Amino acid sequence: MIELPKERILLDRSFQNWEDALRKIGEWMVVKGNVTPDYIQSMIDRQKRMSVYIGNFVALPHAEGTDESVIEEGIFLIQVPDGINFGTKDEPKIATILFAAALKKEHQLSVLQELAFFCSDIDQVMALSDANTVEEIQMIFAQAHT
């Protein structure tokens, strides 16, 4: 089961583009003490190599091979009602829910798979997109079909 502490959930955010989103989310993760500042550029580089968009209006921003940049592992949820394009102008991939992951290499695959499985249920994703409170988000995860 996915558990997200309330201090790792941001609701009703907006960003100019995916790079702005990753920079601001990364800065938040640094302030929370989960990652070092170089993790931010690693997330941006990861998106440039291959989109972190996974479908169903969800993106999973994360860095690869940066264990030294992860101070404390954690998943962060950012709700973006207006969406962010993680694709191109010709092939948009709009995400309204972002799960930013700060994970050690040994845990990345299993946690990202669990999140991807959760997000394969469009009803669960829509519930996250429509939630108005952090408590609602936590309840959705508690009742999730995993």
Side-chain angles (χ1 to χ4, degrees):
M1 179 172 71
I2 301 166
E3 293 184 28
L4 287 175
K6 63 181 177 184
E7 61 272 3
R8 291 189 185 163
I9 300 171
L10 292 177
L11 300 178
D12 197 24
R13 303 300 166 160
S14 62
F15 304 99
Q16 293 177 359
N17 53 46
W18 68 260
E19 190 166 350
D20 177 51
L22 296 186
R23 285 195 190 285
K24 288 179 180 166
I25 291 164
E27 290 167 4
W28 176 48
M29 294 167 75
V30 168
V31 168
K32 291 291 181 191
N34 290 82
V35 297
T36 61
D38 57 319
Y39 193 84
I40 299 167
Q41 189 59 49
S42 295
M43 283 196 308
I44 291 168
D45 292 344
R46 168 68 173 84
Q47 167 62 20
K48 286 179 180 177
R49 278 192 313 279
M50 178 182 279
S51 180
V52 296
Y53 182 80
I54 63 165
N56 281 354
F57 307 102
V58 177
L60 290 174
H62 62 283
E64 292 179 324
T66 56
D67 282 5
E68 64 280 353
S69 299
V70 177
I71 299 165
E72 181 182 334
E73 292 186 301
I75 301 295
F76 297 77
L77 181 144
I78 303 90
Q79 182 193 64
V80 188
D82 293 334
I84 301 169
N85 186 3
F86 279 86
T88 64
K89 184 178 181 182
D90 293 333
E91 288 186 47
K93 297 176 180 176
I94 306 300
T96 59
I97 296 292
L98 309 179
F99 287 103
L103 302 167
K104 301 274 185 184
K105 192 173 186 176
E106 64 199 55
H107 298 129
Q108 266 190 358
L109 186 58
S110 64
V111 174
L112 294 178
Q113 283 177 330
E114 184 178 2
L115 284 170
F117 183 75
F118 173 89
C119 295
S120 68
D121 183 329
I122 190 67
D123 292 332
Q124 291 180 151
V125 173
M126 296 309 293
L128 292 177
S129 293
D130 293 341
N132 293 311
T133 67
V134 169
E135 292 76 19
E136 282 181 75
I137 297 283
Q138 290 174 317
M139 186 178 302
I140 292 162
F141 283 112
Q143 299 171 348
H145 307 100
T146 56

